[in-house]
Amino acid sequence: MAKRIQFNQNGTPDVLQWVDVEVADPAEQEVQIENRAIGINYIDTYIRSGLYPTATFPSGLGTEAAGVVKKVGKGVTRFKPGDRVVYGQSALGAYSELHNVAADRLVALPDSISFEQAAALFLKGLTVQYLLRQTYVVQPGETFLFHAAAGGVGLIACQWAKALGAHLIGTVGSAEKAQLAKENGAWQTINYREENIAQRVSEFTEGKKVSVVYDSVGKDTWEASLDSLRRKGLMVSFGNASGPVTGVDLGILNKKGSLFVTRPSLFGYITNLEELTSASSELFALIASGAVHADVPDQQKFALSDAENAHKLLESRATTGSCLLIP
């Protein structure tokens, strides 16, 4: 028997339950992981709430963790019991003491990276990798806008931009978050509660605006993001923290400068082991160099059984950086 978090219906964080489960042996080409640290990601709240529906109930939750291989299924040759591993794209169920994961979704975790660092950085770091290195290839010296710069993905983006020699303008919700974003490499910050985002972007760029905006907030920042783009700029909408963008008249893209819009996801960019290995190798190199790191405050580390409170804190927008569940 093992313990895990599951839910039987969509709703607020109080639908999350702490239950006993019987974990089957790993199937062919699966690996059973004893999780040591589990990453909490904003997409988990979308799944719990029903914004992204689950196929069946009861459902597990979470797709990211780092831990130790306990068992391997038939046909698995890349791993053996005792190996340190990390994953970010498993089937739902990472909020668990034990989790069976497809072998091609796992990568070996270098000894120099702790379980907590891995769980705090892997999925979010892969997200930054595909955004800054694939969706739009940010160049040294280039200026761009990144919303929620003091969040888990945002702080990694600040660090990655600095490593690239690029100028990240980050939106934040407080002076404290602005300071944190700058400490992590943001070039400039905009307090969206007090300042006009597009106006400040124009001021920072001497009226040129930016070629790309990365927006995980959604409906609340949609217009400001478009207004921050220069002619033929790219709007990268990769999240819905304030709710999804709906009812869009595509003519607005023409009116605001023949703009482009994309709605990408990690699962569209990392679809196989080769792509996973390539992206994770780039991420691990930056972690090893010290260019990318995660400082998870103690108040953002929760016992696995306390996932309900972890989700409440995450949705309150009171967090900075990453949050973890510790089995």
Side-chain angles (χ1 to χ4, degrees):
M1 297 291 285
K3 289 282 193 178
R4 80 163 184 170
I5 294 291
Q6 69 178 34
F7 58 111
N8 292 301
Q9 62 184 30
N10 296 121
T12 55
D14 60 5
V15 301
L16 298 178
Q17 300 174 331
W18 177 238
V19 300
D20 291 304
V21 290
E22 190 71 45
V23 181
D25 286 338
E28 185 173 357
Q29 294 298 334
E30 280 190 341
V31 177
Q32 186 173 96
I33 311 301
E34 183 180 285
N35 290 331
R36 299 292 177 84
I38 300 162
I40 305 174
N41 295 284
Y42 216 93
I43 193 173
D44 301 344
T45 70
Y46 299 160
I47 294 167
R48 186 212 70 230
S49 70
L51 180 62
Y52 293 172
T54 53
T56 59
F57 290 113
S59 174
L61 192 59
T63 62
E64 175 185 35
V68 175
V69 173
K70 187 174 182 181
K71 300 177 182 178
V72 297
K74 183 180 178 182
V76 175
T77 58
R78 294 173 53 233
F79 302 104
K80 64 183 184 304
D83 285 350
R84 303 171 78 251
V85 293
V86 62
Y87 59 91
Q89 295 176 294
S90 75
L92 291 178
Y95 286 21
S96 181
E97 293 174 338
L98 296 176
H99 190 34
N100 292 339
V101 179
D104 62 1
R105 294 298 182 182
L106 283 169
V107 294
L109 180 62
D111 290 339
S112 60
I113 302 175
S114 71
F115 294 121
E116 290 192 4
Q117 282 282 296
L121 289 169
F122 194 61
L123 184 61
K124 298 174 185 69
L126 292 180
T127 298
V128 175
Q129 194 279 337
Y130 91 75
L131 290 172
L132 272 58
R133 311 307 297 146
Q134 298 188 64
T135 305
Y136 179 97
V137 181
V138 174
Q139 300 297 318
E142 186 166 18
T143 301
F144 64 97
L145 179 64
F146 203 101
H147 288 290
V153 172
L155 289 180
I156 298 171
C158 290
Q159 296 171 27
W160 209 308
K162 183 178 180 180
L164 291 172
H167 299 149
L168 181 148
I169 302 172
T171 65
V172 294
S174 69
E176 292 77 16
K177 289 187 175 184
Q179 180 64 31
L180 184 62
K182 286 190 173 182
E183 288 172 355
N184 280 270
W187 175 60
Q188 299 285 357
T189 58
I190 300 169
N191 187 332
Y192 64 82
R193 299 183 192 277
E194 300 175 355
E195 300 177 283
N196 180 291
I197 293 172
Q199 180 180 325
R200 293 294 283 154
V201 168
S202 184
E203 291 171 357
F204 289 140
T205 59
E206 299 180 341
K208 296 177 182 178
K209 302 187 179 181
V210 296
S211 294
V212 62
V213 174
Y214 297 100
D215 191 335
S216 61
V217 177
K219 68 181 181 67
D220 286 357
T221 49
W222 168 252
E223 289 276 355
S225 292
L226 297 182
D227 289 338
S228 298
L229 287 165
R230 65 183 59 162
R231 184 173 63 91
K232 296 189 289 185
L234 174 65
M235 163 66 164
V236 183
S237 176
F238 69 101
N240 315 281
S242 68
V245 177
T246 59
V248 175
D249 175 6
L250 290 179
I252 196 173
L253 303 178
N254 174 37
K255 294 175 184 176
K256 292 184 181 292
S258 295
L259 304 178
F260 294 85
V261 176
T262 184
R263 181 60 175 88
S265 72
L266 181 65
F267 286 89
Y269 279 83
I270 298 181
T271 64
N272 55 47
L273 180 58
E274 181 181 0
E275 292 170 346
L276 175 61
T277 301
S278 175
S280 60
S281 294
E282 186 174 0
L283 173 62
F284 288 158
L286 284 173
I287 296 173
S289 73
V292 169
H293 58 87
D295 299 315
V296 183
D298 288 341
Q299 63 268 29
Q300 291 178 201
K301 297 178 185 178
F302 297 83
L304 176 56
S305 58
D306 202 21
E308 177 182 340
N309 283 325
H311 273 224
K312 287 178 179 177
L313 183 67
L314 185 63
E315 291 181 309
S316 73
R317 298 197 188 182
T319 63
T320 57
S322 300
C323 297
L324 295 175
L325 297 172
I326 307 298

